[in-house]
Every structure is written in C-alpha cells, then in structure tokens.
Amino acid sequence: MDAIVDPAIEQYAAEHSSEEPAHLAEVARTTRAASDQANMMVGRLEGRLLRMLVHLTRAQRVLEIGTFTGYSALSMAEALPSGGRIVTCELDPERAAMARRHIEQSGYGDRIEVMIGPALDTIGGLTGRFDLVFIDADKPSYAAYYDAVLPLLAPNGVIAVDNVLWSGRVLDPSDRDASTRALIEFNEMVLRDPRVDCVMLTVRDGLTLISRAVPASGSAR
C-alpha cells in the first residue's frame, strides 16, 4: 500500500495516539512474520480510531466484513460494553484460524464470533440491528456489501469503509484495475445516495464514515 499521507506524519500521528495493548502488538508481530500481505492489517492508528468509534457510538453489536488476522476486531472489542458482540466475516479458512487463535489468546473470545464463508451469505442469515459496521474486504464487492448491511444498520449507527483512496489510484480514471474501478464507482454511489451522509477521511488508505441521512433542521441563523 503506497502512502497517502507523508509516512513521517503518519508515524507521528500513530505515536501520538493511545498505545495499542500488548496483545495487539503481538497480533501485529505474528501477522508480519506469517504473511506477505501484512499491509492488509489496519495497524495502530486505524485500530485506535475503530476503538474510538465503538466507544463514541456506544455500540453493542458490531459487524465486520474482512477479519484477516483479527487486529481490527480485537481493536473494536476493547471498547465494547458488557454483553457486546462482534460478528466478523472471513472467506479464507487459514486467516480465520489465525484470527481465532489471536482472539482466544486475547481474552476477548466471548465477544467475537468469526464466521467463515462468503460474507454476503453470512449477512443474509443475520437478524437485528448493528451499531457499527466495518467493511474491509474484496473491493469489487463493496457495493454489494453496502447494500446488504444498510438495512441492518441501527438508526444512529455508522458504517466505516476502508481503503477508499486505494493508494491514490482512485484519482486515475484511466486505471482499469477491477478493484480501482469498483472503488471509484462505490465512492460515487455513496456520495449520491440520498439515504445517507458520508465523510471521507485521509487516514491510512482512506476511511469513509457513513450514517443514515440527518434531516435538515432549518436554515442557519
């Protein structure tokens, strides 16, 4: 993943965000040692942001699409209240197995359920409302994931979508890569969806926050 923000600024921001706990540092270490795709892990800065989102939304139920090795789910689990739950979807059984090991070792095993299989199939079997949804999986399916989770979003819930800047490749209309095209189309779709409000943040590879549209309260005074 190419840097969107100057790497020195990114590092400074991470170092001036709350420290990651020891079990997350260990997840990061083992992921880097075991995978040549460790850049898929959200890392300290975004992990602290996800934890903050759980806290600010007072989320009781969280849905994650794309578990990888468990770092993001564990980041969010820290801020869950007693009885809170995370359902996280992972297609790859090997990644799911690694995530489960990390989750069990962390002490948050009672808060996180890893579901193996196509995420759309898992979502189709879910009921009830989710206070926070985190989407960080295959980019060509982003629009389908969004359409599937929006009906499950709580009235004051938030959807957080990762990698929406795609190392800056979304700025290149001539880029024919399937993931790039999917992200360009997804970003435009969300922007024009009258059902929601959105804000795109330049954190790591881009993170869009989406909520149900807030009705206008009248003209400003």
Side-chain angles (χ1 to χ4, degrees):
M1 183 180 70
D2 296 330
I4 296 296
V5 179
D6 183 302
I9 294 294
E10 186 90 3
Q11 182 65 25
Y12 184 86
E15 291 173 353
H16 288 79
S17 300
S18 296
E19 187 72 39
E20 64 185 356
H23 69 270
L24 279 181
E26 179 62 16
V27 172
R29 187 193 66 78
T30 57
T31 299
R32 293 187 186 104
S35 175
D36 59 1
Q37 296 179 308
N39 64 332
M40 292 172 54
M41 183 174 57
V42 298
R44 174 177 168 182
L45 181 61
E46 192 172 354
R48 296 300 85 192
L49 176 57
L50 290 171
R51 177 182 180 275
M52 184 72 74
L53 286 174
V54 173
H55 172 69
L56 292 176
T57 60
R58 299 182 181 180
Q60 294 272 352
R61 298 188 76 210
V62 176
L63 172 61
E64 177 181 55
I65 303 173
T67 313
F68 193 40
T69 62
Y71 190 102
S72 49
L74 286 167
S75 296
M76 293 185 285
E78 288 180 61
L80 280 177
S82 177
R85 296 284 294 171
I86 296 173
V87 175
T88 180
C89 308
E90 177 55 54
L91 181 62
D92 188 303
E94 291 185 7
R95 291 177 180 170
M98 179 178 277
R100 282 173 170 162
R101 288 196 298 273
H102 290 153
I103 290 165
E104 290 305 317
Q105 291 166 3
S106 73
Y108 289 111
D110 60 333
R111 301 186 186 187
I112 305 171
E113 181 179 10
V114 180
M115 305 288 287
I116 303 175
L120 290 174
D121 291 348
T122 299
I123 295 167
L126 298 175
T127 58
R129 299 284 188 168
F130 287 88
D131 305 297
L132 179 64
V133 179
F134 180 48
I135 301 176
D136 183 17
D138 60 306
K139 313 315 168 192
S141 297
Y142 267 25
Y145 296 147
Y146 172 78
D147 285 337
V149 303
L150 190 57
L152 299 176
L153 189 66
N156 294 316
V158 173
I159 301 172
V161 187
D162 203 15
N163 303 117
V164 291
L165 292 177
W166 205 228
S167 299
R169 293 173 66 177
V170 292
L171 298 178
D172 183 0
S174 67
D175 190 328
R176 308 314 300 173
D177 175 76
S179 292
T180 304
R181 298 307 311 165
L183 284 165
I184 290 171
E185 292 167 8
F186 173 78
N187 291 340
E188 292 297 321
M189 179 189 73
V190 172
L191 178 64
R192 302 184 195 291
D193 188 343
R195 300 173 297 175
V196 301
D197 290 328
C198 64
V199 58
M200 184 180 289
L201 308 177
T202 53
V203 175
R204 274 190 104 237
D205 197 27
L207 183 75
T208 293
L209 302 182
I210 303 165
S211 67
R212 295 189 183 278
V214 178
S217 57
S219 59
R221 299 186 181 216

